[in-house]
Amino acid sequence: MMNITATDRLSSVKPPRRLLAYTEYARSSWELGALAYTWPTLLHAPLGDQPVLVLPGLGTSGLSTAPLRHTLRALGHSTHSWGLGVNIGPSRRILIGMRAKVDELADQYGQPITLIGWSLGGIFARRLTRENPSLIRQVITLGSPFKLVGHEQSNASPLYRAFSHRHIEDLDFPLERADGPLPVPAVALYSRLDGAVPWQVCRDPNPTAENIEVLCSHLGFGHSLPSLWAVADRLATGFDSSGARAPFVPPAWLRYAYPSTPAVDNAAPALRRVESA
């Protein structure tokens, strides 16, 4: 009997439907507008004090991550933009600049930092973590297709190819060949309403990782209320003396926005650090 690998299963995944792709800008604009009215509720999210570096998605700059960084800063975290302009993919300036920024912040704070990556930024974040895990506390990805098997699965591929003349390396598919988990805690946010990339390739299959489904558009991950709340919660929730961390449990009034999250009375087992797994 033929064994079907995870890569084989993901290779059959299609890009998001055209309706989702064509309505991305409209839906994300609505989410941004809604944030203006709902942002005060985020001040009731868990507080923390982590140094955080946020990496933007393809074709966007640090400006797109401003709502996320502003929210986390209001909750006590020291947040930083990557400061490298528009994310055009693996150019020399971006690859060298990201590594330098991680080194700079880890040295500045004297402790590992948290990386938050949106879409392509999350792919970069996971790559940076595998290269130098001692500098990273945890990785949170927002709609990042790090399990992508081919360009044809992504509606963002034409934009990526438009920047290809600036790239110093090609994407090697599947994007993550390593079978093992990241060497630090990993949280992956994904959405079935994503119009840019299929949600199936945004999930981490390793048991030490946490996957959180949210209701938002791809372009809304950085400013939708459900996404921001989940990020704030995961940043503030630490590990106990045994190396376990409680799984994400949303507040009752926001429960509808996380379709796959177990109810409080049916919560998933606590997650343990990779080294304790």
Side-chain angles (χ1 to χ4, degrees):
M1 183 175 180
M2 183 181 298
N3 291 325
I4 300 177
T5 66
T7 299
D8 292 333
R9 289 194 296 270
L10 291 175
S11 63
S12 63
V13 172
K14 305 296 183 182
R17 293 171 296 176
R18 290 184 178 181
L19 177 62
L20 290 176
Y22 292 159
T23 59
E24 267 290 333
Y25 286 103
R27 290 185 290 126
S28 66
S29 295
W30 183 88
E31 289 162 340
L32 181 59
L35 183 64
Y37 296 96
T38 59
W39 191 82
T41 64
L42 285 166
L43 298 181
H44 297 285
L47 303 177
D49 59 353
Q50 300 298 320
V52 179
L53 174 61
V54 186
L55 308 179
L58 176 66
T60 66
S61 68
L63 182 63
S64 68
T65 67
L68 170 60
R69 289 184 285 110
H70 178 68
T71 299
L72 296 181
R73 190 174 298 118
L75 294 173
H77 302 284
S78 301
T79 61
H80 298 267
S81 174
W82 77 337
L84 297 171
V86 176
N87 187 348
I88 62 172
S91 68
R92 182 178 302 278
R93 179 171 180 267
I94 286 177
L95 293 180
I96 294 176
M98 288 190 302
R99 295 184 180 105
K101 190 69 174 181
V102 169
D103 290 340
E104 173 193 337
L105 292 178
D107 182 64
Q108 175 183 336
Y109 290 99
Q111 66 182 81
I113 66 172
T114 290
L115 288 180
I116 299 178
W118 188 352
S119 196
L120 179 59
I123 293 172
F124 285 152
R126 290 174 67 94
R127 175 174 173 174
L128 289 167
T129 299
R130 291 192 187 277
E131 291 176 353
N132 207 338
S134 65
L135 301 182
I136 310 301
R137 177 178 183 266
Q138 70 173 321
V139 175
I140 301 176
T141 55
L142 312 177
S144 297
F146 48 83
K147 289 298 182 181
L148 202 68
V149 176
H151 276 302
E152 69 280 358
Q153 293 180 312
S154 170
N155 288 328
S157 290
L159 179 59
Y160 183 86
R161 292 192 179 101
F163 294 123
S164 61
H165 64 287
R166 302 278 300 278
H167 299 166
I168 61 172
E169 61 180 53
D170 295 325
L171 286 179
D172 189 18
F173 292 106
L175 290 183
E176 284 197 356
R177 295 177 180 275
D179 293 328
L182 285 181
V184 303
V187 180
L189 271 62
Y190 69 96
S191 173
R192 295 173 194 258
L193 300 179
D194 195 316
V197 294
W199 62 270
Q200 294 94 329
V201 300
C202 300
R203 290 171 48 88
D204 191 327
N206 292 292
T208 54
E210 185 172 16
N211 298 288
I212 302 175
E213 181 183 359
V214 299
L215 291 181
C216 72
S217 64
H218 184 81
L219 297 178
F221 271 109
H223 56 249
S224 72
L225 175 61
S227 179
L228 296 181
W229 189 285
V231 170
D233 181 275
R234 295 296 82 189
L235 282 176
T237 305
F239 290 84
D240 63 24
S241 59
S242 68
R245 175 165 72 172
F248 174 68
V249 177
W253 60 271
L254 199 54
R255 177 66 184 81
Y256 73 92
Y258 307 95
S260 300
T261 302
V264 176
D265 58 354
N266 189 33
L271 295 169
R272 295 190 176 276
R273 286 186 183 274
V274 175
E275 60 267 28
S276 301

